[in-house]
Amino acid sequence: MNLLPAAVAEVIYLAAAVCFILALKGLSSPRGARRGNLLGALGAAIAVVTVLLSTDFRGANLAFVLGSVGIGSAVAVPAARRVKMTEMPQLVAIFNGVGGGAAAVVGVIELAEWMGTEPGAVATTATAFAILVGSTSLLGSILTYFKLQGTITSRPIVVPFAAPLMVAALVAGVGVGVAVALTGNVWLGVVLMAVGLAFGALLVLPVGGADVPIVISLLNAFTGLTVAASGWAMSNTLLLVAGTLVGASGSILTIAMATAMGRSVTGILFGALKGGSTAGSTQTSDRPVRRAQAEDVAITLAYANKVVVVPGYGLAVAQAQHVVAELVTALRARGVDAVYGIHPVAGRMPGHMNVLLAEANVPYELLVEADDINAAMPSTDVVVVVGANDVVNPAARTDPGAPIYGMPIINADQAGQTIFLKRSMRPGFAGIENELLFSEKTQVLFGDAKESLTNVVGALKEV
Amino acid sequence: MSGITILTLFVLTAFVGVEVVSKVSSTLHTPLMSGANAIHGIILVGAIAVTAHATEPWLIVLGSLATLLATVNLVGGFVVTDRMLEMFSGRPKQPQRESEMAGDPR
């Protein structure tokens, strides 16, 4: 259509880039986070309208573009609006993957369009990078989706000869990448895409359990860098700035998440390849535990002074947020000092539990973060663990062989008593047994979290 | 743009990206990841640009595919982030009412 001159488009892109910087700035503090996100969306919308108005379309290509944008929106909006908050990490993973895939495909198209011209070494190098890393992000993200969804096991999968294969894929990636950069050949670009996909699989398969979200964050940073490389190749400042922002902030975020869990990023990616730390099983344990009934639990809680509820993913899956809020409210009405102890990685992602409890309108002041709740643990009478396992597992402190070793936990074992609400004796996401379950201070109330909590709330009225 | 201009822009932007999120609390890790994720969906602008002057049918198909994928990333990313943040902002009002109902002395 070419209604906007290129210089005007450039200025609008600059404005959109500023919107993105302000969006990230807003998202990093609770105040103004939502406004920040909306500002980012506004920037993106302006940029898309600008590219439509400032580009010459050939024939029916505009119709194809508008059709694709329409179908994409029609798929994305309902998916984003309807996804259960418990399944949100999977959706973020998929959105990241398709972004990486889009950038890789754009790279291949660029190579094809450059055929017979001299694009320059910088442009072909950046394009080769975009194709390789974009396709790594694509398949890597799809596999994290399946791991979180439970379609494939969340435990580390180490394929035979994983380490040599990884090195081979890396060497092939660099080799073919250099060939693409030198020749600009589109078919080599397609081969490079295949290598990138293979590398993505090799990178993500050995990652297990609670480390998966950190890998999503890392792949998010990868996609950012891919988009930056596309901007470099196409001399588009907006793509360059937006991609670099995400690449840089995503890397910092990945490190922050890993630190919050007491892990190193290289340990997460390559730990399983070295062997050793993959101990664990999904077998149901047959060791005896002390079973409790709802009535026992109600009495224990009613006569406690201080109670801490530790919610986990199991609570969210059972949709028990509202009942747990009812229990805490009832206890507080009786004068029991009941609060929630929130582990930073409770749920499936750092901060995920805050999102899930916010959905259930749980009062904000009652959510106490791990460090503060741990300081109060020795003076706590009862800890109620609802559908959480790994975040209270003392093995993180005591067993160097455990996959969660070094992860900060909520020290439920230091409280007077622990009550576990569990569906079965199956271990949690990390696939390891929890010694705390077999402690003499522990009682286990088996069943669906929602049902068990409803029974406890009912029994509490009789006490 | 010259290579050096692009490199300068790249390095400076990387510093901005690091600065902007360096002190984020773990409570906001998930929305921030999701929001950053939405922003790289702006590859849509690149996808539209390369599709615009594609001549061969297979390139138009690939371009439409890239446009579709990028749209899903961009639009879905912003919508799901907004949904998460909507819940965060709804929180402060609620406790007042709940503690009143429960007769909480505080």
Side-chain angles (χ1 to χ4, degrees):
Chain A
M1 279 180 272
N2 223 350
L3 296 173
L4 286 177
V8 177
E10 290 284 323
V11 174
I12 300 178
Y13 286 153
L14 172 63
V18 172
C19 284
F20 288 159
I21 294 173
L22 294 175
L24 280 183
K25 178 92 191 142
L27 280 163
S28 61
S29 80
R31 277 173 57 134
R34 194 174 180 201
R35 207 177 33 199
N37 183 58
L38 292 175
L39 192 61
L42 179 73
I46 295 173
V48 171
V49 171
T50 303
V51 70
L52 287 173
L53 292 182
S54 65
T55 309
D56 278 322
F57 283 86
R58 264 190 91 260
N61 288 10
L62 178 63
F64 281 105
V65 163
L66 292 179
S68 301
V69 171
I71 297 170
S73 307
V75 170
V77 172
R81 292 229 69 94
R82 286 196 206 134
V83 65
K84 286 189 211 142
M85 277 296 137
T86 46
E87 291 170 2
M88 200 260 317
Q90 287 94 307
L91 194 71
V92 172
I94 277 295
F95 285 163
N96 178 52
V98 295
V105 174
V106 166
V108 171
I109 300 173
E110 280 174 323
L111 290 180
E113 293 190 350
W114 284 333
M115 273 197 296
T117 65
E118 287 288 328
V122 171
T124 49
T125 305
T127 305
F129 179 88
I131 295 174
L132 181 66
V133 180
S135 39
T136 297
S137 182
L138 172 64
L139 192 55
S141 299
I142 291 174
L143 290 174
T144 55
Y145 171 88
F146 285 125
K147 275 181 182 257
L148 289 169
Q149 191 76 14
T151 316
I152 57 176
T153 176
S154 62
R155 301 193 49 231
I157 301 169
V158 183
V159 294
F161 309 109
L165 275 176
M166 190 100 152
V167 174
L170 198 61
V171 170
V174 172
V176 182
V178 168
V180 170
L182 291 177
T183 63
N185 184 299
V186 62
W187 298 113
L188 282 175
V190 174
V191 174
L192 188 60
M193 199 166 174
V195 175
L197 292 173
F199 190 66
L202 290 169
L203 194 67
V204 170
L205 283 176
V207 177
D211 292 338
V212 172
I214 298 176
V215 173
I216 298 179
S217 178
L218 182 70
L219 293 173
N220 186 33
F222 277 15
T223 306
L225 290 178
T226 308
V227 173
S230 300
W232 195 310
M234 302 170 86
S235 282
N236 183 311
T237 45
L238 179 60
L239 296 193
L240 179 66
V241 170
T244 309
L245 274 177
V246 178
S249 60
S251 305
I252 295 298
L253 184 60
T254 307
I255 294 167
M257 281 181 175
T259 311
M261 293 181 66
R263 330 283 273 153
S264 77
V265 176
T266 48
I268 290 166
L269 290 177
F270 307 115
L273 295 182
K274 286 187 218 128
S277 72
T278 61
S281 87
T282 49
Q283 293 296 306
T284 304
S285 172
D286 51 5
R287 287 165 64 188
V289 294
R290 277 173 65 201
R291 280 170 177 266
Q293 300 300 320
E295 289 74 20
D296 312 331
V297 173
I299 292 167
T300 310
L301 292 177
Y303 292 103
N305 290 315
K306 188 163 172 53
V307 170
V308 174
V309 176
V310 180
Y313 185 71
L315 168 131
V317 170
Q319 292 288 312
Q321 304 96 312
H322 294 276
V323 200
V324 86
E326 217 178 302
L327 174 67
V328 169
T329 310
L331 286 173
R332 295 188 74 83
R334 300 180 73 107
V336 180
D337 179 14
V339 294
Y340 301 84
I342 307 295
H343 189 274
V345 297
R348 281 290 186 266
M349 265 193 195
H352 192 193
M353 188 51 65
N354 301 68
V355 176
L356 295 170
L357 290 176
E359 190 190 15
N361 291 323
V362 166
Y364 186 61
E365 313 88 78
L366 297 187
L367 305 181
V368 186
E369 297 212 1
D371 287 344
D372 298 329
I373 207 73
N374 276 342
M377 251 333 141
S379 64
T380 298
D381 302 307
V382 188
V383 174
V384 184
V385 182
V386 189
N389 192 14
D390 299 334
V391 297
V392 294
N393 192 338
R397 288 198 313 263
T398 56
D399 178 7
I404 58 168
Y405 182 69
M407 183 174 96
I409 56 163
I410 291 184
N411 297 326
D413 54 334
Q414 292 174 359
Q417 289 188 62
T418 309
I419 295 167
F420 269 91
L421 270 67
K422 277 181 79 67
R423 189 181 287 277
S424 71
M425 284 302 287
R426 278 193 54 199
F429 200 51
I432 47 166
E433 226 170 47
N434 190 342
E435 279 305 315
L436 187 56
L437 279 169
F438 309 103
S439 153
E440 54 191 29
K441 293 196 295 188
T442 300
Q443 302 177 63
V444 184
L445 175 56
F446 285 105
D448 172 76
K450 194 172 182 177
E451 221 174 280
S452 298
L453 284 167
T454 310
N455 292 341
V456 172
V457 172
L460 199 60
K461 289 183 187 133
E462 313 288 318
V463 177
Chain B
M1 271 190 299
S2 76
I4 290 298
T5 313
I6 297 179
L7 186 63
T8 308
L9 201 56
F10 176 76
V11 172
L12 294 182
T13 310
F15 273 97
V16 173
V18 170
E19 274 308 306
V20 158
V21 300
S22 55
K23 289 187 198 80
V24 62
S25 87
S26 66
T27 313
L28 281 168
H29 278 173
T30 294
L32 183 64
M33 193 203 299
S34 174
N37 186 4
I39 289 175
H40 64 51
I42 200 64
I43 185 65
L44 176 58
V45 166
I48 292 175
V50 292
T51 312
H53 16 81
T55 44
E56 293 176 55
W58 71 278
L59 287 180
I60 298 175
V61 170
L62 275 187
S64 303
L65 174 69
T67 306
L68 180 86
L69 295 179
T71 306
V72 170
N73 183 191
L74 186 75
V75 176
F78 280 118
V79 173
V80 85
T81 308
D82 184 60
R83 247 186 91 194
M84 261 186 265
L85 294 171
E86 189 180 21
M87 291 163 190
F88 275 79
S89 61
R91 274 199 299 200
K93 294 173 205 150
Q94 198 66 20
Q96 196 86 37
R97 264 181 281 144
E98 281 216 353
S99 53
E100 273 166 25
M101 277 190 316
D104 191 325
R106 291 202 297 178

